[in-house]
């Protein structure tokens, strides 16, 4: 079998496995985070979490497949490892950037949610107080 094909197969196996592992980790831990952000609405948190994971898969697996082609080819075992290290390294960097992007967006959502909670009074107003009358006479 041609070593370039072996490099492709190994690259796909490693990259897809890493993508699935990161997506599952983000999904499992993101669910708790989203439930907090969405004020305990578990159903909505699950739906948002699922949409984020699908988007994560689409972007990362799309990148993995676009980055598959090796222009130089692989002639020996050393070149096989070099090609794999470059390709898997780039995939890891993209996964890391995607992860940091997700964490950044979720932390912004959480921060906004916390600000909204602070602006809401803990108890509903029970009545209104009329403004004090101003006196019309000047002292002086």
């Amino acid at each position: 079998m041609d070593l370039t094909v072996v490099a492709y197969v190994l690259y796909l196996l490693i990259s897809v496995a890493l993508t699935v592992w990161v997506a599952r980790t983000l999904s499992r831990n993101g669910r708790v985070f989203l439930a907090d952000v969405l004020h305990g609405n578990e159903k909505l948190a699950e739906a948002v979490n699922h949409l984020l994971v699908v988007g994560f898969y689409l972007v990362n697996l799309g990148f993995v497949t676009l980055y598959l082609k090796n222009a130089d080819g692989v002639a020996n075992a050393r070149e096989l490892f070099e090609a794999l290290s470059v390709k898997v390294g780039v995939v890891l960097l993209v996964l890391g950037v995607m992860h940091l992007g997700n964490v950044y967006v979720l932390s912004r959502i959480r921060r906004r949610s916390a600000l909204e909670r602070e602006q809401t009074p803990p108890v509903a107003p029970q009545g209104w107080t009329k403004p004090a009358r101003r006196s019309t006479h000047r002292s002086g």
Side-chain angles (χ1 to χ4, degrees):
M1 181 183 277
D2 183 14
L3 284 179
T4 303
V5 174
V6 172
Y8 289 161
V9 170
L10 289 173
Y11 164 72
L12 284 173
L13 289 173
I14 293 168
S15 298
V16 169
L18 285 170
T19 300
V20 169
W21 175 71
V22 172
R24 285 185 176 174
T25 301
L26 291 173
S27 175
R28 184 175 48 252
N29 296 313
R31 186 178 299 122
V32 174
F33 188 80
L34 284 169
D36 178 54
V37 169
L38 298 171
H39 311 294
N41 187 341
E42 295 287 332
K43 194 168 186 172
L44 181 59
E46 186 64 36
V48 170
N49 191 35
H50 184 72
L51 291 173
L52 287 171
V53 169
V54 168
F56 184 84
Y57 275 126
L58 290 173
V59 169
N60 285 295
L61 293 176
F63 174 77
V64 165
T65 55
L66 285 174
Y67 196 60
L68 176 67
K69 185 167 173 40
N70 189 356
D72 298 333
V74 177
N76 56 43
R78 189 191 90 205
E79 289 179 4
L80 173 73
F81 281 103
E82 288 173 355
L84 278 176
S85 70
V86 169
K87 290 194 170 296
V88 172
V90 171
V91 168
L92 286 171
L93 289 173
V94 169
L95 286 170
V97 168
M98 289 293 295
H99 169 66
L100 292 175
N102 278 340
V103 170
Y104 176 76
V105 168
L106 291 174
S107 68
R108 295 279 309 218
I109 292 169
R110 187 174 190 209
R111 189 175 312 133
R112 187 177 312 137
S113 176
L115 287 174
E116 287 173 3
R117 275 186 255 169
E118 287 177 8
Q119 292 176 354
T120 305
V123 178
Q126 297 173 356
W128 296 95
T129 303
K130 288 186 177 185
R133 292 184 103 190
R134 288 185 172 186
S135 67
T136 55
H137 99 287
R138 291 182 172 247
S139 61

